[in-house]
Amino acid sequence: MIYLDSAATTMEKPPAVAHATAWAMTHMASPGRGGHSAGMRAADTLFELRETAADLFDVPSPDRVVLTYNATHALNMAIHALVHPGCTVLISGYEHNAVTRPLCARKDITLRVAKAPVFDRRGMLDAFARELEHGVDVVICTHVSNVFGFILPVEELAGLCRDRGVPLLVDASQSAGSLPVHLGAWGAAYVAMPGHKGLYGPQGTGLLLCGEDQPAPLLYGGTGSESKNQAMPEILPDRLEAGTQNVSGAAGLLAGLRFVRRKGVSRIGAYEHCLCTHMMDALEQLPGVRVFRGGDAQSGVCSITVEGMDCEEVGAWLARRGVAVRAGLHCAPLAHQTVGTLDTGTVRLSFSAFNTLQQVRTAASLVGQMVRCRGR
């Protein structure tokens, strides 16, 4: 299989990830729930994971790295902590349903959207600046559009939010591991990310990076600390980690983070962008294929449409020939509404550190074959 769906999950992982996950299942118990070696081994692994993530993502202290089950869990925790009745929340026009659905479920807030054409970073920043002039309580922005690979101007937006004292939540689902993510330098209130995409960890893992805010818990329960107290602990990460953590997943995620740190975030991002550029160069030569392309404003994710073919039909045709892509709305209808593809969707091709140039050439050749067959 030629796997070009890493924006959904990176299926090919470093071998160390599977090894660490399997080893933890038979050698680690619950952290904080016993002084025996199996429990202490788990506690040490989780602490090392927090230390590694804090170093990689510019978090002031490891205890402000909270383990979650995925980015959706992390985003819901942050939204619960930041968004209160009567709040005005400003989001980009490229947000995932993991952001829009929790907000739309809140009937006691005002939701505003900053929109700009795809790949127009200046226009996007100007749209945020205009909306901020009208009074905003919380800003939520994706770092990279999961549909189009559009890299939004998060660093500049963070500056606008700092100047106005508005808390910022960044969804780094498509950027963590391939673009620099700096909680501290951005001054963000929270940054959410999954473990199973660009961090090469197992599914069912994620991280919430916490700034200076003292968050309200989303879940309540046992933490292995302050058990006599019927209120949740005030300290992080305990305050946000009710229940037993996914220890085996965390061990695998630690191995994934080590891989990213060893390879280098910038190097991985440049390699993915290179593969994406080669793919777009090839696909733009095909009649009837529309490529959504953004130059330096694009990550290693691209979307296409094929004239006269439904996106799901394209995805199924490629799947039968061993090429895995994603077709449809990609859980981000707002992004499609912004760009004008809500009625059609797109076919998304996304890359990882394990893809090769030969795979790109083969996949592009198959798309060409499909286009020629369509024209007969």
mmCIF file of all heavy atoms in Angstrom, residues 45-64:
data_model
loop_
_atom_site.group_PDB
_atom_site.id
_atom_site.type_symbol
_atom_site.label_atom_id
_atom_site.label_comp_id
_atom_site.label_asym_id
_atom_site.label_seq_id
_atom_site.Cartn_x
_atom_site.Cartn_y
_atom_site.Cartn_z
ATOM 1 N N THR A 45 8.074 6.761 33.257
ATOM 2 C CA THR A 45 7.836 6.897 31.820
ATOM 3 C C THR A 45 6.977 8.125 31.523
ATOM 4 O O THR A 45 7.265 8.887 30.603
ATOM 5 C CB THR A 45 7.168 5.627 31.270
ATOM 6 O OG1 THR A 45 8.045 4.516 31.451
ATOM 7 C CG2 THR A 45 6.837 5.770 29.790
ATOM 8 N N LEU A 46 5.917 8.298 32.313
ATOM 9 C CA LEU A 46 5.047 9.456 32.097
ATOM 10 C C LEU A 46 5.787 10.762 32.359
ATOM 11 O O LEU A 46 5.595 11.750 31.627
ATOM 12 C CB LEU A 46 3.811 9.355 32.991
ATOM 13 C CG LEU A 46 2.568 8.770 32.311
ATOM 14 C CD1 LEU A 46 2.835 7.380 31.753
ATOM 15 C CD2 LEU A 46 1.393 8.741 33.277
ATOM 16 N N PHE A 47 6.632 10.765 33.386
ATOM 17 C CA PHE A 47 7.386 11.995 33.656
ATOM 18 C C PHE A 47 8.364 12.284 32.524
ATOM 19 O O PHE A 47 8.520 13.445 32.105
ATOM 20 C CB PHE A 47 8.128 11.901 34.988
ATOM 21 C CG PHE A 47 8.828 13.182 35.348
ATOM 22 C CD1 PHE A 47 8.120 14.289 35.765
ATOM 23 C CD2 PHE A 47 10.212 13.286 35.225
ATOM 24 C CE1 PHE A 47 8.761 15.486 36.076
ATOM 25 C CE2 PHE A 47 10.868 14.474 35.527
ATOM 26 C CZ PHE A 47 10.137 15.582 35.957
ATOM 27 N N GLU A 48 9.013 11.246 31.996
ATOM 28 C CA GLU A 48 9.938 11.466 30.888
ATOM 29 C C GLU A 48 9.196 11.952 29.639
ATOM 30 O O GLU A 48 9.708 12.792 28.892
ATOM 31 C CB GLU A 48 10.716 10.192 30.579
ATOM 32 C CG GLU A 48 11.825 10.421 29.558
ATOM 33 C CD GLU A 48 12.698 9.198 29.329
ATOM 34 O OE1 GLU A 48 12.537 8.195 30.046
ATOM 35 O OE2 GLU A 48 13.535 9.255 28.410
ATOM 36 N N LEU A 49 7.993 11.434 29.441
ATOM 37 C CA LEU A 49 7.177 11.919 28.325
ATOM 38 C C LEU A 49 6.879 13.404 28.487
ATOM 39 O O LEU A 49 7.008 14.185 27.537
ATOM 40 C CB LEU A 49 5.871 11.121 28.261
ATOM 41 C CG LEU A 49 4.785 11.649 27.311
ATOM 42 C CD1 LEU A 49 5.284 11.730 25.881
ATOM 43 C CD2 LEU A 49 3.534 10.778 27.403
ATOM 44 N N ARG A 50 6.502 13.812 29.685
ATOM 45 C CA ARG A 50 6.207 15.230 29.923
ATOM 46 C C ARG A 50 7.464 16.083 29.729
ATOM 47 O O ARG A 50 7.406 17.171 29.133
ATOM 48 C CB ARG A 50 5.665 15.420 31.344
ATOM 49 C CG ARG A 50 4.371 14.704 31.636
ATOM 50 C CD ARG A 50 3.865 15.066 33.026
ATOM 51 N NE ARG A 50 3.104 13.987 33.623
ATOM 52 C CZ ARG A 50 1.821 13.725 33.388
ATOM 53 N NH1 ARG A 50 1.150 14.483 32.546
ATOM 54 N NH2 ARG A 50 1.208 12.716 33.986
ATOM 55 N N GLU A 51 8.593 15.607 30.216
ATOM 56 C CA GLU A 51 9.844 16.350 30.049
ATOM 57 C C GLU A 51 10.210 16.513 28.571
ATOM 58 O O GLU A 51 10.601 17.607 28.129
ATOM 59 C CB GLU A 51 10.979 15.623 30.767
ATOM 60 C CG GLU A 51 11.060 15.877 32.249
ATOM 61 C CD GLU A 51 12.388 15.396 32.805
ATOM 62 O OE1 GLU A 51 12.846 14.298 32.415
ATOM 63 O OE2 GLU A 51 12.979 16.123 33.643
ATOM 64 N N THR A 52 10.071 15.441 27.827
ATOM 65 C CA THR A 52 10.420 15.479 26.405
ATOM 66 C C THR A 52 9.500 16.416 25.649
ATOM 67 O O THR A 52 9.950 17.214 24.812
ATOM 68 C CB THR A 52 10.353 14.063 25.807
ATOM 69 O OG1 THR A 52 11.198 13.193 26.569
ATOM 70 C CG2 THR A 52 10.810 14.062 24.358
ATOM 71 N N ALA A 53 8.196 16.333 25.927
ATOM 72 C CA ALA A 53 7.241 17.213 25.265
ATOM 73 C C ALA A 53 7.470 18.673 25.660
ATOM 74 O O ALA A 53 7.385 19.580 24.817
ATOM 75 C CB ALA A 53 5.817 16.790 25.607
ATOM 76 N N ALA A 54 7.761 18.917 26.918
ATOM 77 C CA ALA A 54 8.001 20.284 27.373
ATOM 78 C C ALA A 54 9.202 20.895 26.659
ATOM 79 O O ALA A 54 9.187 22.062 26.254
ATOM 80 C CB ALA A 54 8.216 20.306 28.883
ATOM 81 N N ASP A 55 10.238 20.090 26.474
ATOM 82 C CA ASP A 55 11.425 20.557 25.776
ATOM 83 C C ASP A 55 11.135 20.816 24.294
ATOM 84 O O ASP A 55 11.583 21.812 23.728
ATOM 85 C CB ASP A 55 12.537 19.521 25.924
ATOM 86 C CG ASP A 55 13.804 19.926 25.187
ATOM 87 O OD1 ASP A 55 14.395 20.949 25.550
ATOM 88 O OD2 ASP A 55 14.194 19.219 24.245
ATOM 89 N N LEU A 56 10.369 19.937 23.689
ATOM 90 C CA LEU A 56 10.099 20.036 22.250
ATOM 91 C C LEU A 56 9.153 21.179 21.916
ATOM 92 O O LEU A 56 9.272 21.812 20.856
ATOM 93 C CB LEU A 56 9.510 18.707 21.769
ATOM 94 C CG LEU A 56 9.492 18.426 20.267
ATOM 95 C CD1 LEU A 56 10.903 18.486 19.667
ATOM 96 C CD2 LEU A 56 8.867 17.064 20.002
ATOM 97 N N PHE A 57 8.207 21.484 22.831
ATOM 98 C CA PHE A 57 7.155 22.455 22.518
ATOM 99 C C PHE A 57 7.208 23.712 23.381
ATOM 100 O O PHE A 57 6.229 24.452 23.464
ATOM 101 C CB PHE A 57 5.780 21.793 22.652
ATOM 102 C CG PHE A 57 5.623 20.580 21.769
ATOM 103 C CD1 PHE A 57 5.336 19.341 22.324
ATOM 104 C CD2 PHE A 57 5.775 20.680 20.395
ATOM 105 C CE1 PHE A 57 5.195 18.218 21.523
ATOM 106 C CE2 PHE A 57 5.641 19.561 19.587
ATOM 107 C CZ PHE A 57 5.349 18.332 20.150
ATOM 108 N N ASP A 58 8.355 23.968 24.017
ATOM 109 C CA ASP A 58 8.556 25.226 24.745
ATOM 110 C C ASP A 58 7.521 25.421 25.854
ATOM 111 O O ASP A 58 6.886 26.462 25.955
ATOM 112 C CB ASP A 58 8.524 26.402 23.753
ATOM 113 C CG ASP A 58 8.871 27.738 24.388
ATOM 114 O OD1 ASP A 58 9.574 27.743 25.416
ATOM 115 O OD2 ASP A 58 8.411 28.782 23.869
ATOM 116 N N VAL A 59 7.370 24.379 26.672
ATOM 117 C CA VAL A 59 6.465 24.455 27.824
ATOM 118 C C VAL A 59 7.314 24.736 29.061
ATOM 119 O O VAL A 59 8.311 24.050 29.296
ATOM 120 C CB VAL A 59 5.682 23.135 28.001
ATOM 121 C CG1 VAL A 59 4.675 23.252 29.137
ATOM 122 C CG2 VAL A 59 4.978 22.754 26.697
ATOM 123 N N PRO A 60 6.958 25.743 29.859
ATOM 124 C CA PRO A 60 7.817 26.145 30.985
ATOM 125 C C PRO A 60 8.117 25.046 31.984
ATOM 126 O O PRO A 60 9.199 25.014 32.573
ATOM 127 C CB PRO A 60 7.012 27.275 31.643
ATOM 128 C CG PRO A 60 6.110 27.781 30.577
ATOM 129 C CD PRO A 60 5.782 26.608 29.714
ATOM 130 N N SER A 61 7.167 24.115 32.190
ATOM 131 C CA SER A 61 7.372 23.082 33.202
ATOM 132 C C SER A 61 6.719 21.783 32.733
ATOM 133 O O SER A 61 5.613 21.811 32.171
ATOM 134 C CB SER A 61 6.766 23.515 34.539
ATOM 135 O OG SER A 61 6.816 22.464 35.484
ATOM 136 N N PRO A 62 7.357 20.625 32.968
ATOM 137 C CA PRO A 62 6.759 19.356 32.543
ATOM 138 C C PRO A 62 5.385 19.093 33.129
ATOM 139 O O PRO A 62 4.567 18.405 32.506
ATOM 140 C CB PRO A 62 7.768 18.312 33.029
ATOM 141 C CG PRO A 62 9.059 19.044 33.144
ATOM 142 C CD PRO A 62 8.692 20.437 33.550
ATOM 143 N N ASP A 63 5.106 19.621 34.326
ATOM 144 C CA ASP A 63 3.810 19.331 34.933
ATOM 145 C C ASP A 63 2.666 20.050 34.228
ATOM 146 O O ASP A 63 1.484 19.796 34.529
ATOM 147 C CB ASP A 63 3.809 19.656 36.435
ATOM 148 C CG ASP A 63 4.119 21.116 36.751
ATOM 149 O OD1 ASP A 63 4.136 21.938 35.829
ATOM 150 O OD2 ASP A 63 4.347 21.420 37.937
ATOM 151 N N ARG A 64 2.989 20.928 33.267
ATOM 152 C CA ARG A 64 1.948 21.603 32.487
ATOM 153 C C ARG A 64 1.708 20.892 31.149
ATOM 154 O O ARG A 64 1.050 21.427 30.264
ATOM 155 C CB ARG A 64 2.294 23.073 32.295
ATOM 156 C CG ARG A 64 2.510 23.798 33.634
ATOM 157 C CD ARG A 64 2.402 25.297 33.521
ATOM 158 N NE ARG A 64 1.044 25.755 33.381
ATOM 159 C CZ ARG A 64 0.181 25.922 34.384
ATOM 160 N NH1 ARG A 64 0.543 25.614 35.618
ATOM 161 N NH2 ARG A 64 -1.045 26.368 34.161
#
